[in-house]
Amino acid sequence: LDHVALYLRSIGSQPAKLLSILSKSWYIGMMHLPFLAPTFWQTYSPKQWQKHVQKLENTQDIPLDTLVQTDGKHGIALYRANFLPRNLRPRQRFAHSPVQAIVLTQDKFVSADYIDAMPQWVKNFQKVSVNSNHWGILS
């Protein structure tokens, strides 16, 4: 998140690009809503979530996640604990180990543009593109 914040600041003079990148991450704002986010994850069943994601991603191969409610609740806590502090006060952090970024080229939620700035933070960096959606990591 430190790198994300620094990257977003670096493209601040390009409003169209900034808006395009941020529009993919609309759900982060939802995670910060006090009543809405917890209620959503308490009432959304694993089967409902699977159908929603399959429709959103236009695919039928999304596996049923029986832990989606628990994961969603923990996800809210992670977003709330990390997103605003890191974006308000990003740190310059360098990786000392090799890094391989797997870019999901059809991802509707995370912009591949974030990866463009990674070589400045990593000496040994490799990027691999995979023609898959946000949930490609499940396969």
Side-chain angles (χ1 to χ4, degrees):
L1 288 175
D2 293 298
H3 296 148
V4 167
L6 292 167
Y7 177 73
L8 292 175
R9 288 174 186 200
S10 76
I11 63 167
S13 62
Q14 304 170 52
K17 186 172 186 174
L18 182 62
L19 185 59
S20 172
I21 290 171
L22 291 176
S23 68
K24 287 186 165 197
S25 301
W26 58 267
Y27 61 93
I28 294 172
M30 189 191 90
M31 294 289 198
H32 286 81
L33 297 175
F35 178 74
L36 183 60
T39 301
F40 174 83
W41 288 114
Q42 288 171 359
T43 59
Y44 228 66
S45 74
K47 192 68 178 163
Q48 288 172 308
W49 177 252
Q50 180 188 41
K51 286 180 182 179
H52 177 77
V53 172
Q54 286 174 340
K55 184 177 179 183
L56 185 66
E57 297 287 4
N58 195 27
T59 185
Q60 295 300 309
D61 64 352
I62 303 295
L64 183 66
D65 181 359
T66 58
L67 300 175
V68 70
Q69 291 171 314
T70 303
D71 291 347
K73 197 178 341 177
H74 292 299
I76 291 169
L78 287 171
Y79 277 103
R80 289 178 178 178
N82 294 297
F83 187 78
L84 288 177
R86 293 292 42 94
N87 277 275
L88 293 174
R89 291 179 303 284
R91 302 164 292 185
Q92 292 191 14
R93 302 177 68 174
F94 297 89
H96 302 287
S97 298
V99 173
Q100 179 181 34
I102 299 173
V103 178
L104 304 174
T105 59
Q106 304 302 316
D107 196 323
K108 294 179 182 179
F109 303 103
V110 178
S111 175
D113 291 334
Y114 291 128
I115 302 304
D116 292 342
M118 289 311 296
Q120 71 180 317
W121 304 109
V122 182
K123 286 183 182 176
N124 187 351
F125 179 76
Q126 181 182 3
K127 177 173 113 175
V128 176
S129 295
V130 176
N131 185 21
S132 186
N133 62 35
H134 187 74
W135 309 101
I137 58 171
L138 298 176
S139 62

